[in-house]
Amino acid sequence: MKIKVMTVFGTRPEGIKMAPIIKVMENTPEIESIICVTAQHREMLDQVLNLFKIEPHYDLNIFKPGQTLTEITIRALQGLEAVIEKERPDILLVQGDTTTVFSGALAAFYQKIKIGHVEAGLRSGNLYSPYPEEANRKLTGILTDFHFAPTETNKNNLLKEGYPEEKIFITGNTVIDALKYAVKKNFIFYDSLLDSIDYSKERVILLTSHRRENIGRPMENIFSAVGDIAKKYANVRVVFPIHLNPRVREIAHKVFKDNKRVHLIEPLDYEPFTNLMAKSHIVVTDSGGLQEEAPSLGKPVLVVREETERPEGIEAGTAKLVGTNYENIYNSLDLLLSNREEYDKMANAVNPYGDGKASERIVNIILEHGK
Ligand code: UD1
Ligand code: UDP
């Protein structure tokens, strides 16, 4: 009898980090892989599905512009109920900390299906930052049978909360598996802007920001600081593939209006995006995934948040938590752009988040314990 594993995901980062697991499962004859997307994101999820050639068995298509947290939760829960009832998987896998993750775990729990949580045990210590993701992780943890913790730190967080050690497995983060698949030498973008930049002479700051708790004043501060630093240095440009959230786009267009050194572009597919990161000089972000990818590529990353649940990059010296205060961000960028020694101190390729084999480990654990 095969082990039936249902993966449930809904947003861009979950798709990127679930894809390598799905690929390994496709090549594992003892596993029957069922894929269900909530489509909490639509276009940004479809970009990932296309790249990794994933064809979901179920697409709940819950996305609605301007969706609230409650609406996402209700629509995902309702849609999942019928799918889980029909398929009755042996294990349901969720990845990360989105509302799809919590809804997926809850829907599985209601039907007494075992739950595997990929990227378990990350904690910032503040329920409101990141919001609502810290709560989603904790709520999912309570329902989980297999905690796939990327790092030792993540495992220790779970032990501190009283989870039994035999349910926790250190696997590395599957984002590194995906990154190894995507980043290539001499990558050509087939994009007039990105191919026109001479990355050996011009220094690109890659910017992304979308966190709910940053929307408003904090985001204005982040964008103003990055925009002003780009005006100070002749060979610095900013590339910002803007998240599709209209609230983010509105602030970006307002702050960067008339700033010719800042290129506001549409969300990139994962391959061009990670290859752009590999060619960039500095990353400024509030994203979770970028905090993991940038250290692996040896790119200094300024984390524009007050707390992070990913301290490993900071301990390794590649990431710096700079908050959302204008001066802090401006001065940190100024230092990195003007002082080679400071830059080199941060630009070390380190891999605190994994070795590219996390997916294989997760699938092996499922094979061993899944029935
Ligand atoms: C969600 C996750 C967040 C994750 C992020 C990754 C929750 C609560 N938040 O945040 O943890 O870091 O995804 O990007 O689960 N939109 C589109 N098309 C898309 C995607 C988004 O138009 O393909 C716009 C819509 O207007 C939507 C808005 O973005 O209402 C916000 O999307 P939503 O999924 O609610 O939250 P995110 O901020 O994307
Ligand atoms: N990403 C992408 N295209 C973009 C911006 C980001 O493919 O234009 C990828 C990025 O490499 C990372 C993931 O999307 O793997 C991060 O997603 P996001 O920042 O939306 O979510 P978070 O990681 O903060 O949950």
Side-chain angles (χ1 to χ4, degrees), residues 11-14 16-17 41 44 47-48 97-98 133 175 179 208 210-211 241-243 266-271 273-274 277 285-290 292-293 305 310:
T11 67
R12 169 170 69 190
E14 295 161 71
I16 290 166
K17 291 169 171 182
H41 283 176
M44 283 160 61
Q47 285 183 301
V48 180
D97 57 12
T98 69
E133 290 83 0
V175 75
L179 196 62
T208 81
H210 69 81
R211 296 246 83 82
I242 322 177
H243 190 284
E266 291 305 311
L268 289 167
D269 283 350
Y270 185 62
E271 257 189 331
F273 183 78
T274 48
M277 197 187 312
T285 193
D286 61 13
S287 154
L290 268 77
E292 296 153 349
E293 292 159 343
R305 292 168 52 172
R310 292 169 168 92

Side-chain angles (χ1 to χ4, degrees), residues 11-14 40-45 63-67 69 72 97-100 131-133 136 210-212 243-246 288:
T11 67
R12 169 170 69 190
E14 295 161 71
Q40 172 180 337
H41 283 176
R42 190 66 275 172
E43 304 92 314
M44 283 160 61
L45 176 71
F63 173 78
K64 289 220 173 87
Q67 55 199 4
L69 296 176
I72 301 170
D97 57 12
T98 69
T99 296
T100 287
Y131 170 86
E133 290 83 0
N136 284 340
H210 69 81
R211 296 246 83 82
R212 272 162 207 257
H243 190 284
L244 290 179
N245 189 335

Side-chain angles (χ1 to χ4, degrees), residues 63-279:
F63 173 78
K64 289 220 173 87
Q67 55 199 4
T68 66
L69 296 176
T70 309
E71 287 167 344
I72 301 170
T73 312
I74 292 171
R75 285 204 289 271
L77 259 181
Q78 255 168 358
L80 283 166
E81 180 175 46
V83 174
I84 295 173
E85 207 164 271
K86 177 159 176 246
E87 292 291 345
R88 299 234 32 105
D90 296 300
I91 299 186
L92 184 141
L93 284 187
V94 286
Q95 193 293 330
D97 57 12
T98 69
T99 296
T100 287
V101 174
F102 171 54
S103 309
L106 189 58
F109 171 72
Y110 281 162
Q111 300 195 44
K112 300 197 175 140
I113 301 293
K114 282 189 193 158
I115 296 156
H117 185 200
V118 179
E119 202 182 80
L122 280 70
R123 297 288 185 270
S124 73
N126 180 350
L127 262 195
Y128 284 89
S129 170
Y131 170 86
E133 290 83 0
E134 176 85 350
N136 284 340
R137 285 187 193 279
K138 294 184 103 169
L139 293 164
T140 303
I142 293 168
L143 306 172
T144 292
D145 296 277
F146 303 98
H147 304 266
F148 298 115
T151 70
E152 184 87 40
T153 306
N154 305 147
K155 175 177 176 176
N156 288 334
N157 289 338
L158 292 166
L159 290 174
K160 268 187 244 152
E161 290 177 16
Y163 291 105
E165 187 155 17
E166 61 272 19
K167 284 188 169 188
I168 309 169
F169 305 87
I170 298 181
T171 58
N173 196 314
T174 58
V175 75
I176 307 298
D177 308 21
L179 196 62
K180 291 205 162 161
Y181 170 90
V183 175
K184 299 184 176 72
K185 269 204 180 122
N186 309 321
F187 185 83
I188 300 170
F189 294 98
Y190 298 103
D191 173 282
S192 53
L193 166 71
L194 300 178
D195 284 323
S196 73
I197 299 174
D198 179 349
Y199 296 89
S200 61
K201 298 212 176 77
E202 296 182 81
R203 296 183 291 177
V204 169
I205 298 176
L206 178 62
L207 171 65
T208 81
S209 178
H210 69 81
R211 296 246 83 82
R212 272 162 207 257
E213 64 276 14
N214 277 347
I215 290 173
R217 198 59 199 270
M219 208 170 268
E220 287 178 18
N221 292 342
I222 298 166
F223 295 171
S224 304
V226 174
D228 288 349
I229 209 77
K231 287 184 194 156
K232 179 174 174 186
Y233 291 91
N235 66 348
V236 169
R237 291 206 218 191
V238 177
V239 179
F240 181 7
I242 322 177
H243 190 284
L244 290 179
N245 189 335
R247 296 169 72 195
V248 175
R249 297 172 90 81
E250 194 187 312
I251 302 172
H253 285 287
K254 186 174 88 182
V255 176
F256 292 126
K257 183 165 63 82
D258 305 328
N259 191 333
K260 297 212 162 44
R261 312 293 281 283
V262 179
H263 304 283
L264 301 180
I265 61 174
E266 291 305 311
L268 289 167
D269 283 350
Y270 185 62
E271 257 189 331
F273 183 78
T274 48
N275 282 283
L276 175 62
M277 197 187 312
K279 291 173 193 285

